[in-house]
């Protein structure tokens, strides 16, 4: 650990009452955005309690006050719902641990913004859904997240990352990169470029439905991967949604769709052999069932109708982002080899083509579980 990190941690320990003596702190988890540590605290009663300390990324999040206002508002709302349902709010939602002065975060002498959460014990954070049952459990958890926040005023939340799932804006950025051709890469990506150009109208489908009032604005998580659900070690049920940095106003179908993009296939994101990249309709079925069970009737008829579009658009958008970054010189997504972002975009577009070939089946799955 660097001396700067050590100094900052000591400032954080002084700023918070953690209920005992801090025995130490270690880097924790596999996240790439925030700096995360697990602190071990010895209580006067002799217990060892753990806390998660995070220095929020200044590069990703320019306004930590807005970010934390979102998280405090949403978690307090969740706590009330969990208590009313007879659940355990200490395990079923994150809890923001306040500073000694009652603030939701602390700013150190170097300008770093820190937050603290009590550790949710006896849980697992899994990086991939090794079984359909785990995928189903994550779907139920994210569906419940939608249900419990269905009455939260989404328009009161700050937009922590501007135009994050604005597919039209992602398309405009692609057009700019295409016109500039700053690195002369357009020639090497012609099939992929043509694929995006042919799908221009699709980029407006969900946003147009929102503008027309067909789709409601919701509180959305916007990063609905399996590793953002804590699983109970004993039951392997999804109990707590974590990584709330991107909680902001959005569309429920995007949260659903991002999970499908991530989980309803078996290939690596940069797989070069596209014959190994396939949209798995059975896993789509499993996730849809779990998500709608968790949502418990909170979604509108239009949201149900547009769920397949959520899967297609989140996959298309991700592919467009990879392609745009490739054309611009790989400055956003980290790469380990030349052409990796182009390979990443190809896998996403292969999944889109597979979804289009199974579109009727995708719609039928939603109808089966929406009854």
């Amino acid at each position: 650990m660097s001396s700067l990190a050590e100094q900052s941690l000591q400032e954080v320990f002084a700023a918070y009452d953690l209920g005992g003596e801090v025995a130490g702190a270690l880097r924790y988890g596999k996240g790439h955005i925030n700096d995360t540590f697990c602190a071990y605290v010895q209580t006067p009663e002799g217990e060892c309690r753990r806390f998660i300390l995070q220095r929020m990324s200044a590069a990703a999040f320019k306004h930590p006050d807005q970010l934390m206002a979102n998280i405090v508002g949403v978690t307090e709302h969740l706590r009330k719902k969990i208590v009313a349902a007879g659940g355990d709010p200490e395990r079923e939602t994150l809890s923001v641990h306040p500073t000694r002065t009652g603030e939701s975060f602390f700013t150190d002498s170097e300008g770093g913004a820190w937050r603290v959460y009590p550790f949710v014990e006896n849980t697992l954070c899994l990086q991939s859904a090794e079984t359909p049952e785990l995928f189903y459990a994550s779907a139920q958890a994210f569906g419940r997240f939608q249900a419990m926040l269905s009455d939260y005023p989404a328009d009161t939340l700050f937009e922590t990352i501007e135009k994050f799932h604005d597919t039209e804006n992602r398309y405009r950025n692609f057009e700019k990169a295409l016109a500039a051709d700053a690195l002369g890469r357009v020639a090497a990506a012609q099939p992929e470029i043509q694929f995006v150009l042919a799908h221009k109208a699709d980029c407006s489908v969900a946003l147009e439905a929102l503008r027309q009032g067909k789709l409601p604005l919701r509180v959305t998580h916007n990063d609905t991967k399996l590793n953002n659900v804590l699983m109970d070690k004993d039951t392997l049920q999804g109990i707590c949604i974590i990584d709330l940095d991107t909680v902001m106003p959005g569309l429920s179908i995007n949260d659903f769709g991002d999970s499908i993009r991530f989980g309803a296939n078996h290939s690596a994101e940069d797989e070069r052999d596209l014959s190994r990249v396939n949209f798995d309709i059975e896993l789509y079925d499993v996730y849809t069932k779990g998500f709608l069970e968790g949502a418990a009737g909170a979604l509108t008829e239009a949201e149900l109708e547009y769920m397949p579009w959520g899967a297609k658009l989140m996959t298309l958008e991700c592919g467009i982002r990879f392609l745009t970054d490739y054309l611009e010189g790989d400055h956003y997504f980290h790469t380990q080899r030349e052409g990796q972002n182009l390979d990443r975009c190809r896998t996403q577009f292969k999944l889109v083509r597979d979804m289009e070939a199974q579109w009727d089946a995708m719609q039928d799955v939603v109808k089966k579980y929406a009854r």
Side-chain angles (χ1 to χ4, degrees):
M1 193 182 304
S2 70
S3 58
L4 179 61
E6 285 277 12
Q7 175 186 331
S8 296
L9 282 173
Q10 293 306 317
E11 291 183 45
V12 175
F13 296 150
Y16 285 87
D17 179 3
L18 300 180
E21 182 181 352
V22 178
L26 298 171
R27 287 197 175 272
Y28 187 83
K30 297 184 178 181
H32 301 298
I33 304 299
N34 302 309
D35 290 324
T36 303
F37 300 85
C38 182
Y40 297 79
V41 176
Q42 187 82 35
T43 71
E45 296 76 28
E47 293 181 284
C48 180
R49 295 187 65 197
R50 292 195 285 176
F51 291 85
I52 291 294
L53 282 55
Q54 285 186 318
R55 179 167 48 193
M56 292 170 269
S57 169
F61 305 108
K62 308 295 186 187
H63 303 286
D65 55 333
Q66 296 180 2
L67 176 67
M68 291 309 298
N70 282 359
I71 293 176
V72 168
V74 164
T75 54
E76 288 183 350
H77 186 89
L78 290 172
R79 290 180 74 85
K80 291 176 184 176
K81 290 292 182 77
I82 292 164
V83 169
D88 182 355
E90 302 308 316
R91 287 180 57 74
E92 296 175 39
T93 182
L94 291 176
S95 303
V96 178
H97 191 80
T99 67
R100 292 181 185 275
T101 56
E103 304 298 325
S104 61
F105 69 100
F106 166 71
T107 303
D108 65 28
S109 59
E110 299 295 324
W114 293 79
R115 61 176 170 224
V116 173
Y117 298 119
F119 196 98
V120 183
E121 300 289 354
N122 200 45
T123 58
L124 298 170
C125 181
L126 303 174
Q127 297 305 308
S128 62
E130 297 178 0
T131 67
E133 289 78 14
L134 288 172
F135 198 39
Y136 172 76
S138 73
Q140 285 187 310
F142 280 119
R144 283 196 302 272
F145 187 79
Q146 275 297 321
M148 287 192 289
L149 292 168
S150 61
D151 58 344
Y152 192 99
D155 57 359
T156 65
L157 293 175
F158 293 101
E159 195 175 27
T160 57
I161 301 178
E162 188 178 1
K163 299 184 183 298
F164 187 60
H165 280 321
D166 185 331
T167 314
E168 292 172 334
N169 189 60
R170 298 295 187 185
Y171 185 90
R172 287 192 292 270
N173 291 338
F174 156 75
E175 286 185 315
K176 293 174 185 174
L178 178 62
D181 193 16
L183 280 82
R185 291 180 169 182
V186 164
Q190 275 304 307
E192 293 71 37
I193 290 168
Q194 294 306 316
F195 184 86
V196 176
L197 294 173
H199 284 79
K200 179 179 180 179
D202 286 352
C203 295
S204 296
V205 168
L207 291 171
E208 188 58 34
L210 174 65
R211 286 191 287 264
Q212 293 178 6
K214 293 180 182 178
L215 291 175
L217 195 68
R218 298 280 194 187
V219 178
T220 47
H221 184 277
N222 296 297
D223 192 14
T224 50
K225 298 192 293 288
L226 180 77
N227 59 8
N228 284 330
V229 183
L230 294 182
M231 301 286 185
D232 184 274
K233 277 186 179 179
D234 299 322
T235 66
L236 292 183
Q237 295 300 303
I239 62 166
C240 181
I241 304 298
I242 62 172
D243 193 3
L244 304 180
D245 291 341
T246 52
V247 166
M248 52 187 162
L251 299 175
S252 66
I253 63 167
N254 289 347
D255 270 6
F256 170 79
D258 208 24
S259 289
I260 298 301
R261 181 197 73 80
F262 175 77
N265 74 91
H266 303 281
S267 70
E269 196 169 56
D270 60 350
E271 175 60 59
R272 290 175 170 179
D273 181 358
L274 293 183
S275 69
R276 302 177 64 178
V277 181
N278 297 286
F279 170 64
D280 190 326
I281 191 70
E282 292 182 4
L283 285 177
Y284 174 83
D285 186 298
V286 165
Y287 194 90
T288 302
K289 181 176 187 291
F291 189 81
L292 291 181
E293 285 179 359
L299 303 182
T300 68
E301 288 294 322
E303 286 176 300
L304 297 172
E305 177 189 343
Y306 277 82
M307 281 173 68
W309 272 107
K312 178 179 174 180
L313 287 174
M314 287 299 92
T315 311
L316 175 64
E317 178 187 290
C318 190
I320 291 173
R321 292 177 66 194
F322 285 140
L323 179 57
T324 301
D325 200 34
Y326 170 75
L327 296 176
E328 291 178 340
D330 308 310
H331 61 81
Y332 186 84
F333 295 105
H334 181 66
T335 58
Q336 290 83 35
R337 57 176 172 79
E338 188 174 346
Q340 189 173 16
N341 273 326
L342 186 57
D343 289 330
R344 287 168 173 160
C345 108
R346 287 168 175 161
T347 65
Q348 301 305 299
F349 294 164
K350 173 60 163 56
L351 291 172
V352 171
R353 288 193 291 271
D354 281 4
M355 290 178 191
E356 291 172 339
Q358 301 180 74
W359 196 250
D360 290 345
M362 291 175 69
Q363 292 177 313
D364 289 343
V365 165
V366 176
K367 291 174 184 176
K368 177 169 62 173
Y369 296 119
R371 293 171 184 167

